[in-house]
Every structure is written in structure tokens, then in C-alpha cells.
Amino acid sequence: MTENDPSGHDAGKARPAGAQPDAEQSASWAAQPAPQQTDATGLGGHATPHTGAQQAYTPEQQYNPWSPHTQAQQEHQTQGQYTQGHQVPGHQTPYTQPGPSVYAVPQQRQASKSTSGKLLAGVAAIALVVGGVAGGTVGYLTGDASGGSSVNALDAPKPAQQTGNLPAGSVEAVAQKLSPSVVELQVSGRSGAGEGSGFVLSTDGYVLTNNHVVEVAAGGGQIQAVFQDGKKGTATVVGRDPTTDIAVVKVSGVSGLTPVELGRSDDLRVGQPVVAIGSPFELTGTVTSGIVSALNRPVSAGGGGDQTTVMSAVQTDAAINPGNSGGPLANMAGQVIGINSAIYSPKSAQGQGGESGGNVGIGFAIPIDQARRTADDIINTGQAKQTFIGARVQTAPTGGAQLGEITAGSPAEKAGLKSGDVVTKLDDRTIPNADALVAEIRTRAPNDKVKFTLADGKVIEVTLGGQPVTPN
């Protein structure tokens, strides 16, 4: 995910939905048992896999780009890497096929002050050296060998101070509107420490963030909220949902909070400009901008432990780095349209020890329409509700999502779906693989009616079910 994840999940590898194996991997995959199925009924985000031998994937065998950055991760690294998509050593995730992962969890920044100090000192040293050389060069070039008079910019008066209103729809205007509502979350627990971001939902202290930002503190840890103006308060976990990587915390001891304005994500357009705000690498209040690069991107990201998240994400090229997770992605009206949650981290960008690399222009955000519904459930009941159909699912050899075992009395059975049916569309959304079907179901609300188009052309209407999520 996008911050130094205190949960310290991944380090293994998983292949993005729909990706094809490379030549070196195809032979080994072909020798494996039949594809494992995903249980779309999975409470808490797990799907129950079919029984049968599965080859264990160790860090030497697979590379995982989704890597959280926390002390907790360092502990996991001694046991193998946890993948986005997510591959736990000896356990294949039900949502993706084996293969190299392209998605990295940009998690919370590891609480390592000594390293940060050395890094900043190094940067300062470089800046001083460059400044010295540049100064000498300028002096040489502006010197007048002829002895005549010279023009020096230092002698010119300062221009008039900017006093006008910020132009509407500018990055400046969005930053000014949203920054007071964005909070840095410093998290610690028995298994590690780190930091991420969040944003204010209400004047009485509710803050929306990622599950993987705060889960390390869920078992009695501590969370401190730091605001733009320097105010600090203690936060407690109200509820969290690993299946959607969403959590709500409540901050106490701070008054005068400014809630964000929530937008909508169902009318986003590719190419639309957006702004991200968060605390990458502990740099609180960092503002970056870019565009919506793609929509409805099925992405698997680690939500902690063996929980797996599959979301239909908003892809953006706005710079997102470890520490940004949980922060807002906003449109140019300053309305929040997504929660920054994950980044793509190629192997070449990974640091020593499996730590995720920085921004490469491919980040992912949870659509705000989905996050809004989950947050509302958590605040009103203390528990999120997961949408499901009650069927296992795997990617069909010819494309689409093939249904496996159907749970008795489930929405799938009631609608007349059968084991072996291949779903190729959900409403007007093409379903190329199992991940896409799971992601699309997760974006809908319980009791929504959707139309499944099958490979044989048959269209079946399904009323989606809902069940409470109980985090580990």
C-alpha cells in the first residue's frame, strides 16, 4: 500500500489480474495442479480454496512488488514474503494466478529516525556542494572582463507579494481546501510501528484511512493523529475491513476539525486531473498531482496477515509513496474521490531487504463510493458488511470467471447459477478473469440487483447478499 505499512505484509509476488506468465514460468505453472478457486463468499476477505496440493512459493521463487514498510514487515521477511495478489509462502491466494506481482503495497513508513537523519544529512551535503559549484560558476560567467558595468539580479527589488485569490480548479486551491483535513497517523503495536495518512470525516473526530495503516494497533496498540497545524490527538480504531482495506478511527483531544467534502467515483473519466495529499516518507502534508490513468483496475493488495483485498481501483500517475496510504485522492473541485492505497513497485525499484521502491507513476486508490458505504457501516454498527454471491470462482481457460462450488441457500443458488458457469459480464462491465468478478461484486452493495452474462449468452439476474466482516 502506499504508506510504510505497520502491518508489514508483503514481500512475496503475485501476478496482476489477467497477466500472462513469461516463458521461464509457463513450464513450471503448467506442471502445477488445477487452478485454485476463489471463494466469493469469503468472510473477512478470504476465499476457501479447493483442497489439493499447491506448490509453495518462496521469496526465491517469486518477487512481490507490494511491500509494506514497517518493522512488522522486517519480522515477516524472515519467514517469506507476503504478496499483493497475495502469495503467502506455502499458501496460494484465492484471487490471483501464480506469477510475478506487479502491485506493491505502499505502506506506512517504517519508524526509523536514525536512517531518516542520515538520509537528510546526505541530501543536505549534496545540496551544499551543488550550491557551491553553481555559485562559483555564476560568478565567473557574469564577471565583465572588459571592466564595464554589469546587471545583477540581486540588485532588483522583490516583486509584489501574491495577494489575489487562488484560481478555482487549480492544484493550489485544492491543496488549500483539503490540507487542513488530512492527518498523519503514527501507529505502533506489538508487531511493529509505522505511519500513514487519513482524512477527517466529521467534526467529532471520525477519520477514514486504510486497514493496513492501523491494523497493527488494533490489538491494543497506539495511534497518534498529527494535523497540518501541529495539533495532536490520540486515535482509537472504530472498525476495519481487511476485505476492502478500509478502516475508521476516532480522534480525541482535538477540536475545530474540518471534514472533507466527499465526491463520487462512478463518473470519473480517464485523463481527468487529480490531486493526492498525504505523508510520504514521513513528509507530512505533501501534495502531488496527476491524472486518472485508468478505471476499474482489478488490484489485489495485502490487507494484513493472510487477508486478501481485491478492489476495482482508480489508477493514477499522481506521485504516491510509502506513507501516502489512507490519504485522499481528490478532483479539482477539492472533493475526495478515492483513498490512496497501493502502488506498483517493479523489481528494479525495490530496495535492500525487500522494501518497496518509490513512485513510478502507477498508483491505485479505492473508489470513494465503495469506501463511503463501508465507512458508514463501521460508524453506525462498528462492523463492515461484505457483499457476496456464495460461489467459488476461478479464471476460465478461455477467459471470464468460472464458478465452482455453489453454497446452498446463497444468492448464486437462488438466482439459478450453476457450477461450471462462466461469467463474462456483470451488467455492462466485461469480466476477463476471477479477480475482475470479485472486485466488481465488492464494489456493489448488499441487496443490489446485477445481471450476469454467461459465456453461452444467457443473462441471469442476481440479488447480491451481505454478511458482516470480522477482522482477525
Side-chain angles (χ1 to χ4, degrees), residues 49 77 81 89 97 116 156 178 193 223 257 262 288 291 334 388 398 406:
Q77 288 171 351
Q81 293 182 316
Q97 302 300 312
S116 300
L178 268 183
I223 305 174
L257 299 182
L262 298 180
T288 58
I291 62 170
F388 77 107
T398 56
I406 306 292

Side-chain angles (χ1 to χ4, degrees), residues 27-410:
S28 63
W29 290 349
Q32 294 181 33
Q36 180 173 334
Q37 294 182 331
T38 294
D39 185 356
T41 69
L43 183 60
H46 306 269
T48 305
H50 280 307
T51 57
Q54 291 290 340
Q55 179 177 350
Y57 288 82
T58 64
E60 290 75 15
Q61 294 171 308
Q62 289 190 335
Y63 147 66
N64 177 3
W66 291 108
S67 50
H69 303 165
T70 60
Q71 294 173 358
Q73 176 193 13
Q74 295 175 351
E75 297 176 4
H76 285 300
Q77 288 171 351
T78 62
Q79 303 173 3
Q81 293 182 316
Y82 181 77
T83 69
Q84 141 95 28
H86 280 294
Q87 191 69 45
V88 179
H91 175 75
Q92 179 177 340
T93 175
Y95 294 120
T96 60
Q97 302 300 312
S101 169
V102 292
Y103 300 116
V105 175
Q107 304 154 355
Q108 296 150 273
R109 186 69 185 156
Q110 182 174 345
S112 176
K113 301 300 181 183
S114 59
T115 301
S116 300
K118 293 178 181 178
L119 173 61
L120 292 175
V123 172
I126 293 173
L128 288 173
V129 171
V130 173
V133 174
T137 303
V138 171
Y140 176 81
L141 293 178
T142 58
D144 190 344
S146 66
S149 61
S150 64
V151 176
N152 193 325
L154 297 175
D155 296 331
K158 289 183 180 179
Q161 188 174 15
Q162 299 182 50
T163 59
N165 294 328
L166 296 177
S170 67
V171 174
E172 295 171 273
V174 174
Q176 185 180 65
K177 177 180 179 178
L178 268 183
S179 291
S181 305
V182 180
V183 57
E184 178 185 8
L185 298 175
Q186 299 172 349
V187 185
S188 63
R190 288 178 297 178
S191 60
E195 61 88 28
S197 304
F199 52 91
V200 178
L201 290 177
S202 66
T203 55
D204 57 349
Y206 285 111
V207 170
L208 187 58
T209 184
N210 283 143
N211 170 67
H212 75 263
V213 170
V214 301
E215 64 182 345
V216 71
Q222 297 181 333
I223 305 174
Q224 184 177 59
V226 182
F227 293 84
Q228 180 196 38
D229 59 5
K231 291 181 181 178
K232 296 181 180 180
T234 300
T236 55
V237 177
V238 177
R240 57 193 184 89
D241 179 10
T243 71
T244 58
D245 197 20
I246 292 170
V248 176
V249 301
K250 191 169 186 181
V251 181
S252 59
V254 179
S255 61
L257 299 182
T258 304
V260 299
E261 180 184 357
L262 298 180
R264 56 190 303 163
S265 51
D266 61 353
D267 62 352
L268 294 176
R269 300 178 302 277
V270 174
Q272 177 176 337
V274 289
V275 174
I277 306 179
S279 303
F281 299 108
E282 300 182 28
L283 300 172
T284 305
T286 296
V287 177
T288 58
S289 64
I291 62 170
V292 172
S293 303
L295 295 168
N296 308 307
R297 187 75 80 190
V299 172
S300 299
D306 61 353
Q307 297 286 352
T308 300
T309 298
V310 180
M311 59 180 173
S312 183
V314 178
Q315 182 181 327
T316 181
D317 67 348
I320 296 174
N321 286 289
N324 271 117
S325 279
L329 185 69
N331 60 24
M332 301 313 290
Q335 300 167 328
V336 178
I337 50 86
I339 305 176
N340 300 317
S341 182
I343 59 173
Y344 172 83
S345 184
K347 187 173 184 179
S348 60
Q350 282 201 333
Q352 296 298 319
E355 186 170 325
S356 168
N359 170 62
V360 294
I362 304 177
F364 302 95
I366 301 168
I368 197 61
D369 291 353
Q370 177 180 348
R372 184 175 196 153
R373 184 179 67 252
T374 302
D376 193 54
D377 285 340
I378 290 174
I379 292 172
N380 290 328
T381 68
Q383 196 169 34
K385 186 174 289 187
Q386 180 191 65
T387 308
F388 77 107
I389 61 169
R392 283 174 159 174
V393 59
Q394 66 180 18
T395 299
T398 56
Q402 183 173 359
L403 303 184
E405 180 182 350
I406 306 292
T407 302
S410 67

